Amino acid sequence: MARRANTPLRTSSEDLAAAKRAPSTPQTESAAFRLAFSDDEFMTSEDTRGIRFQLEYLKAEFRLREHGIRSTVVLFGGARIPEPGKPAWAARNETQKKNLEAASHYYSEARRFAQYASLTARALDFHDYVVVTGGGPGVMEAGNRGAADVGAPSIGFNIVLPHEQTPNGYITPDLCFNFHYFATRKIHLLLRARAVAIFPGGFGTLDEFFETLTLIQTGRMERVPLLLFGKEFWSRVINFGALAEAGTIAPDDPHLFTLVDSAEEGWNVVRQHYNLPEVTLAAE
């Protein structure tokens, strides 16, 4: 974090260390005696929920600001999609295994898309178009991996889940965050977004897509390139035409996003939107 300004007053870290050295007595062992900011019971109480929201927001905000990150390219997509050639670890039956392994090409496209974004970020000293993901496996891993492929930093916004989720190993360690609140995490995922790429996924991916789409549709978010990767997948999963025909969305609302199939196609949408220079990926 940022270096503390010089002060003649004792710091909170100094007093925290001193408090830990206090002799053990009934008074010092009481919860009432603990410094408020080091009292886990107090800090996780219902009454301090608002403070925890603020702390989760500020910790990521300060660190991203210290790294000079002004804008990002967000990749959303299924945690269950495996790397090509790897087994579908999340499959629960043979049909799922077949389909998930067939979908592994989306891992490759996400990785390549992140390379395009990261090479663009490099030309801007990694202040803009920095890749950010939800920090987990599958498409998220592919996004962080694509950045690492070209020596670029990338961000991972993890969330504590009932089952263990280890951050993928391609996130820049200094930019690997962990959240308790989905709401705070969602703010940071979109706060700096210059483009949002949605790859096939499940409930979480659908939630992220529709929330982004709703923010753009209602004018609560600037219209940025919103890319749906996988024309066949999305046309089967969501009948946008039926929504328009039913009148529950405007006839031109499906124009708020763009259906694409390849990393090149998707990045060209972003590049043309912002008039960015072309970048070339190294031959595989």
Side-chain angles (χ1 to χ4, degrees):
M1 303 298 288
R3 181 174 296 179
R4 186 191 299 267
N6 289 330
T7 173
L9 302 177
R10 282 180 62 85
T11 66
S12 56
S13 57
E14 289 173 330
D15 276 356
L16 180 60
K20 290 179 178 178
R21 295 193 299 269
S24 178
T25 68
Q27 291 75 27
T28 63
E29 293 300 321
S30 168
F33 183 76
R34 298 175 199 149
L35 289 168
F37 54 83
S38 67
D39 184 345
D40 289 344
E41 183 178 354
F42 171 68
M43 287 301 296
T44 58
S45 68
E46 183 176 351
D47 292 326
T48 57
R49 181 174 291 127
I51 297 171
R52 292 197 301 277
F53 269 110
Q54 184 177 17
L55 289 174
E56 280 210 331
Y57 171 78
L58 288 175
K59 181 175 181 180
E61 177 67 21
F62 288 164
R63 188 167 290 271
L64 292 174
R65 202 181 293 170
E66 287 169 12
H67 282 260
I69 296 173
R70 295 185 296 243
S71 70
T72 58
V73 172
V74 186
L75 279 77
F76 291 131
R80 304 181 184 207
I81 293 177
E83 177 185 355
K86 297 291 181 66
W89 58 270
R92 297 295 183 265
N93 53 53
E94 284 303 313
T95 299
Q96 287 197 343
K97 180 177 186 298
K98 175 186 174 183
N99 289 332
L100 283 170
E101 291 177 1
S104 65
H105 68 94
Y106 291 116
Y107 183 106
S108 299
E109 295 302 330
R111 184 176 175 182
R112 286 176 61 80
F113 182 80
Q115 291 171 4
Y116 278 114
S118 298
L119 287 173
T120 303
R122 174 188 289 170
L124 299 167
D125 296 323
F126 301 121
H127 294 311
D128 292 290
Y129 302 99
V130 177
V131 166
V132 59
T133 78
V139 167
M140 294 174 281
E141 176 187 285
N144 296 116
R145 185 175 182 177
D149 287 337
V150 298
S154 68
I155 305 162
F157 288 134
N158 291 267
I159 186 80
V160 178
L161 299 173
H163 55 277
E164 182 180 356
Q165 176 179 298
T166 303
N168 73 69
Y170 298 100
I171 305 167
T172 300
D174 281 351
L175 298 173
C176 185
F177 301 92
N178 201 18
F179 289 87
H180 170 66
Y181 294 109
F182 265 102
T184 321
R185 177 179 182 248
K186 286 181 174 183
I187 290 171
H188 275 297
L189 279 165
L190 293 180
L191 188 61
R192 293 170 171 82
R194 298 295 299 275
V196 179
I198 314 285
F199 291 81
F203 293 152
T205 302
L206 290 168
D207 172 57
E208 289 154 347
F209 168 53
F210 279 118
E211 183 160 47
T212 306
L213 186 58
T214 301
L215 289 169
I216 293 173
Q217 181 204 44
T218 57
R220 297 294 299 174
M221 178 178 175
E222 177 186 337
R223 185 168 179 178
V224 301
L226 178 56
L227 310 171
L228 280 186
F229 275 81
K231 296 174 185 176
E232 181 183 358
F233 175 86
W234 292 108
S235 64
R236 291 178 57 216
V237 171
I238 306 171
N239 191 334
F240 298 104
L243 290 172
E245 184 178 334
T248 54
I249 63 173
D252 59 349
D253 278 347
H255 298 150
L256 295 173
F257 55 86
T258 306
L259 286 159
V260 298
D261 279 322
S262 70
E264 291 81 0
E265 186 182 3
W267 187 251
N268 276 335
V269 173
V270 179
R271 187 178 61 79
Q272 292 168 15
H273 184 87
Y274 294 111
N275 195 27
L276 297 170
E278 291 190 42
V279 292
T280 303
L281 301 188
E284 294 184 353

